[in-house]
Amino acid sequence: MRRIPRISNKFRASKLKATSISYPGAYIEEVSRGARTIEGVATSVTAFVGRTVSGPVNEPATIKNYADFERVFGGLWEESQLGYAVRSFFQNGGREAIIVRLTNGGSTVSISLPTGAASPNDNLELLARNIGSWGRKLRVTVGHDTSDPADTSKFNLLIEDPSSGSQEKHINVSVDDSDPRFIGSFLEQRSQLVVAAKATNGNFVVPNARPNAGLVNANIDSGNDGSPLTAAGFTGPGLRANKEGLYALARINLFNLLVIPPYNSNDDVDTSVINEAALYCERRRAFYIIDPPSSWTNAATAESGIRSLGTTSSNAAVYFPRVRQSDPLQNNQIITLAPGGTLAGIYVRTDVSRGIWKAPAGIE
């Protein structure tokens, strides 16, 4: 007769102690060996640094498609190539971008909501959330149909930005600073379009009377976009310590590719910025896609100009020539643009379709 091996009580106790035994039978309990799979690291997160119509300043924002860019940063703008670079990025296979908006001066648009009270409590002053003339299209509708009509400190706000299609509705807000929905702190925490004005001491300037019901448009004489960027806006003194300019990317954990579209009056990027951007990419283990100078008009000028580009870093590459695209802002006329955004999109598409071990080149 065949002998059946006997399972020791020690084995039975160690294997079945966590299992609830309610009836006779065979029980199996899987015990983890402690091994964990190695998760893949992103290889194609692309950072764009430069000037945009709107959006947070020196605060990296992640977007997943061009519609996100239009909503947050205003879309294409004739004053900057960054919007065109981002559009080309997503058109050519890009999937995730990080945008760092920089400005050179500029101010915010104001919106005055009259209260009907005597000065100095005659207006509730709101400001566009970010610098730029974009806020001139904002409009605010005030309503008094609140949850407690007897409370004359409460009101409702409907804030609209027709240029982006954004709309916010804030109900039962109050001019009473003891109310949990006090308009100053509430808009600062919740609104992406406006904030309440502050005094020099940092306190909100809010009247003790609620604004009158009705529609109010932004002050079209307020707010401006500032001047074109300079090298100081990217790598100037104090920016590294404050995590601003190029160094605003220190606020994020990871980016793989960097694009700085041309920004100066010569339609170029300053060599000092190119040099520092390449060094920064070395420190962050990223790769800088450099746009060719506008003076490179043929292969000969490109070959001779490579020596004075600003860097010889192995973490950077320059592509020539520039690309030609239709411009929706100019009735789809063909214009010449820097290729950085296009190449970054091709990098991403290659990584996804062929793998990171394949160079982003080929006849396809």
Side-chain angles (χ1 to χ4, degrees):
M1 178 181 291
R2 187 176 180 183
R3 184 176 180 181
I4 300 176
R6 182 180 179 183
I7 301 176
S8 69
N9 290 334
K10 180 179 180 181
F11 175 86
R12 185 181 296 113
S14 64
K15 288 297 183 182
L16 302 180
K17 63 181 180 180
T19 303
S20 177
I21 301 174
S22 58
Y23 57 87
Y27 293 83
I28 298 175
E29 180 181 2
E30 295 185 2
V31 179
S32 173
R33 298 178 59 185
R36 297 289 185 271
T37 57
I38 300 175
E39 296 182 3
V41 177
T43 63
S44 308
V45 178
T46 304
F48 294 84
V49 183
R51 202 173 177 213
T52 65
V53 176
S54 59
V57 178
N58 286 310
E59 296 179 15
T62 300
I63 60 173
K64 299 293 185 179
N65 50 59
Y66 185 67
D68 284 349
F69 179 81
E70 289 182 306
R71 176 177 53 82
V72 179
F73 294 96
L76 298 181
W77 188 28
E78 61 274 7
E79 299 293 329
S80 172
Q81 284 204 37
L82 190 143
Y84 296 92
V86 173
R87 183 185 66 162
S88 297
F89 172 73
F90 286 111
Q91 286 177 339
N92 286 277
R95 295 193 171 192
E96 181 177 347
I98 295 170
I99 312 298
V100 177
R101 182 195 183 196
L102 304 183
T103 59
N104 184 10
S107 59
T108 54
V109 169
S110 61
I111 309 170
S112 298
L113 305 181
T115 65
S119 180
N121 294 316
D122 51 347
N123 290 313
L124 171 60
E125 294 289 343
L126 303 181
L127 300 174
R129 185 85 192 192
N130 302 302
I131 289 172
S133 59
W134 66 273
R136 294 174 185 174
K137 297 180 181 179
L138 289 172
R139 59 192 184 199
V140 178
T141 303
V142 179
H144 291 169
D145 185 18
T146 64
S147 60
D148 185 5
D151 187 346
T152 57
S153 70
K154 291 185 179 295
F155 59 101
N156 302 325
L157 281 182
L158 174 64
I159 308 168
E160 299 172 283
D161 179 12
S163 59
S164 67
S166 299
Q167 185 181 90
E168 297 177 352
K169 188 172 184 180
H170 307 294
I171 62 173
N172 298 320
V173 291
S174 175
V175 293
D176 182 356
D177 59 6
S178 65
D179 192 294
R181 298 177 71 85
F182 172 57
I183 186 66
S185 55
F186 186 87
L187 290 180
E188 187 173 58
Q189 297 171 10
R190 303 288 185 89
S191 177
Q192 298 299 314
L193 296 176
V194 300
V195 292
K198 287 184 177 182
T200 54
N201 61 5
N203 294 330
F204 292 106
V205 181
V206 175
N208 53 21
R210 67 183 178 183
N212 299 331
L215 173 65
V216 178
N217 292 313
N219 181 0
I220 61 173
D221 295 323
S222 63
N224 67 82
D225 299 310
S227 304
L229 297 175
T230 65
F234 290 86
T235 60
L239 295 184
R240 184 192 295 273
N242 295 329
K243 296 182 180 180
E244 297 176 344
L246 173 66
Y247 312 108
L249 292 171
R251 301 174 187 265
I252 60 174
N253 293 327
L254 175 71
F255 72 96
N256 309 111
L257 304 174
L258 173 65
V259 177
I260 302 177
Y263 58 83
N264 65 23
S265 58
N266 295 325
D267 198 25
D268 288 329
V269 177
D270 293 288
T271 55
S272 61
V273 173
I274 292 175
N275 178 64
E276 179 57 26
L279 293 174
Y280 187 72
C281 282
E282 291 179 7
R283 293 192 291 270
R284 294 294 301 272
R285 298 182 180 181
F287 194 80
Y288 178 22
I289 300 177
I290 305 173
D291 288 315
S294 57
S295 59
W296 292 8
T297 56
N298 52 51
T301 54
E303 185 177 359
S304 61
I306 194 74
R307 300 179 182 87
S308 57
L309 185 61
T311 185
T312 57
S313 172
S314 59
N315 284 53
V318 60
Y319 288 86
F320 175 82
R322 295 192 174 193
V323 297
R324 294 174 63 79
Q325 296 181 3
S326 62
D327 183 5
L329 301 183
Q330 300 184 41
N331 296 318
N332 290 319
Q333 295 184 30
I334 302 300
I335 60 174
T336 301
L337 297 170
T342 301
L343 268 299
I346 294 174
Y347 272 49
V348 176
R349 190 177 71 213
T350 304
D351 284 1
V352 172
S353 63
R354 302 174 63 199
I356 60 174
W357 51 87
K358 295 290 186 180
I363 61 174
E364 70 277 6

